[in-house]
Amino acid sequence: PPRTTLAVMDLETAAASWVADGFVVLDRYLPSDELAAVQRELPHVFPSGEDFHDDVDPTRNARFIGDEFNGIDSFPFASRAMNQLAVCDALIELAATLLEDGSVRLYSAESWAKYEGAADYDQDLHRDYLNHTLLVPSDAPQFRQVEFFVFLSDVTPELGAPRMVARSKESDALSARPNFFPRTDGNISGDGWVDPTGHPDLYAREVVAAGPAGTVVAFQPGTIHRGAAITQPRGARFTMHVNYRPAAAEWAQRHAWADRSHDPHWYDFVAHANPRQLELFGFPPPGHPYWTSSTVAGVADRYPGLDVGPWRQAL
């Protein structure tokens, strides 16, 4: 069986599992202080489970009803702590270790609230490459990508913990198309992306990637997985979906940061970020040829809250 759940550990061990199985679950991986900071701000971002199910604010609740993806917010978030968590040292170190590359980029980050009864969260097994790369996943170490499910609250099987299928010769042999694998026969999409043949064998091999708050599920865009239904009465769960790639893998895309760079939350994030964190978005590091006295001054004008000392000192 795959080595699926690992407590805080040697990251090289996690990397070996991630490569061999396509995913690894790191139990309580996040630093407790950074997790606690996000949890304090969560009620300002999403309704709590109690508030949602008691319908304390019907107008606030309305956005979460009907479609499973309605509960997603995208970076930059209204929560400063959530922005910082997406680029915390622990996730950067994990991404750099799994990708075997010290120069990584954050190519998307989303937060996600799900509530029992709000929508149907039960998905078909699938792979994520269709909206994570212009191409297809590569097994070459220098071109891999990593996705993180970051648990901001406890995520149990009854609270819709994701289901993951470990890599095998059979799964690796699946073609790029179709990409969605229903449990039973007869699903005709008309575009060839949904397999008309059922795959009960894949569902029989599912692993429930559950864990307490602070757990991180790391997987690859080519790993077969799915979201699951929330069956716990009045249940709610809160997660982040954070994705990293090697800097050189320009075809690995999901969000463009420049079109969000005039958002008030972006300015707040930049004012509290360090050069290493900003480099994740494409900021040239101090000492890069882009930086001149003129560009440093211009960036200081654009971001009054940013300490440009590291870039100025490196001129």
Side-chain angles (χ1 to χ4, degrees):
R3 297 160 293 172
T4 53
T5 303
L6 302 170
V8 174
M9 68 183 95
D10 175 3
L11 293 188
E12 296 299 333
T13 302
S17 293
W18 181 75
V19 171
D21 302 326
F23 72 100
V24 65
V25 181
L26 295 97
D27 187 80
R28 303 178 194 268
Y29 176 74
L30 294 179
S32 58
D33 56 339
E34 296 183 71
L35 173 63
V38 173
Q39 291 176 327
R40 285 193 296 270
E41 295 186 6
L42 265 178
H44 304 292
V45 180
F46 298 121
S48 68
E50 292 77 11
D51 283 356
F52 179 85
H53 291 294
D54 290 340
D55 208 19
V56 169
D57 187 340
T59 300
R60 190 184 190 196
N61 280 3
R63 62 166 278 202
F64 303 97
I65 306 296
D67 188 294
E68 63 174 315
F69 302 113
N70 285 350
I72 293 177
D73 286 346
S74 294
F75 190 97
F77 307 116
S79 162
R80 180 183 298 170
M82 199 175 286
N83 288 332
Q84 285 292 315
L85 188 67
V87 296
C88 70
D89 289 344
L91 290 184
I92 296 173
E93 181 183 10
L94 180 58
T97 301
L98 299 184
L99 297 174
E100 302 180 36
D101 194 324
S103 181
V104 295
R105 298 288 183 268
L106 181 77
Y107 70 88
S108 75
E110 299 169 327
S111 56
W112 200 347
K114 295 183 178 182
Y115 304 93
E116 184 266 331
D120 181 5
Y121 301 112
D122 208 43
Q123 300 175 337
D124 288 337
L125 286 170
H126 62 280
R127 299 164 294 194
D128 274 355
Y129 78 90
L130 291 179
N131 58 359
H132 282 256
T133 175
L134 301 174
L135 306 174
V136 296
S138 170
D139 273 339
Q142 68 269 34
F143 300 134
R144 292 190 182 115
Q145 301 163 234
V146 63
E147 301 184 56
F148 296 141
F149 286 148
V150 179
F151 294 175
L152 306 179
S153 61
D154 295 349
V155 180
T156 64
E158 297 75 21
L159 289 174
R163 273 51 168 177
M164 316 297 293
V165 178
R167 291 184 61 178
S168 66
K169 291 182 180 179
E170 292 75 18
S171 63
D172 286 350
L174 292 169
S175 62
R177 187 172 183 166
N179 185 61
F180 298 90
F181 308 103
R183 190 186 301 267
T184 58
D185 295 347
N187 294 271
I188 306 298
S189 68
D191 58 11
W193 290 111
V194 180
D195 197 335
T197 302
H199 287 266
D201 56 317
L202 293 178
Y203 290 81
R205 293 175 44 218
E206 286 183 341
V207 171
V208 180
T215 295
V216 174
V217 182
F219 64 106
Q220 303 178 34
T223 298
I224 297 171
H225 70 287
R226 68 181 180 94
I230 296 181
T231 59
Q232 179 176 312
R234 294 174 57 86
R237 49 162 281 196
F238 305 95
T239 62
M240 290 175 64
H241 187 195
V242 182
N243 307 297
Y244 284 83
R245 63 171 176 86
E250 297 182 25
W251 50 88
Q253 304 171 10
R254 185 167 165 85
H255 297 154
W257 300 124
D259 73 349
R260 303 171 184 215
S261 67
H262 196 50
D263 184 297
H265 300 311
W266 172 261
Y267 285 100
D268 182 77
F269 166 71
V270 170
H272 294 87
N274 61 46
R276 180 70 182 93
Q277 292 171 326
L278 292 174
E279 191 177 342
L280 298 173
F281 298 84
F283 267 59
H288 188 279
Y290 168 81
W291 296 110
T292 64
S293 58
S294 176
T295 57
V296 170
V299 168
D301 285 343
R302 179 171 181 177
Y303 300 108
L306 175 64
D307 175 11
V308 297
W311 291 273
R312 182 173 287 126
Q313 293 165 15
L315 289 177

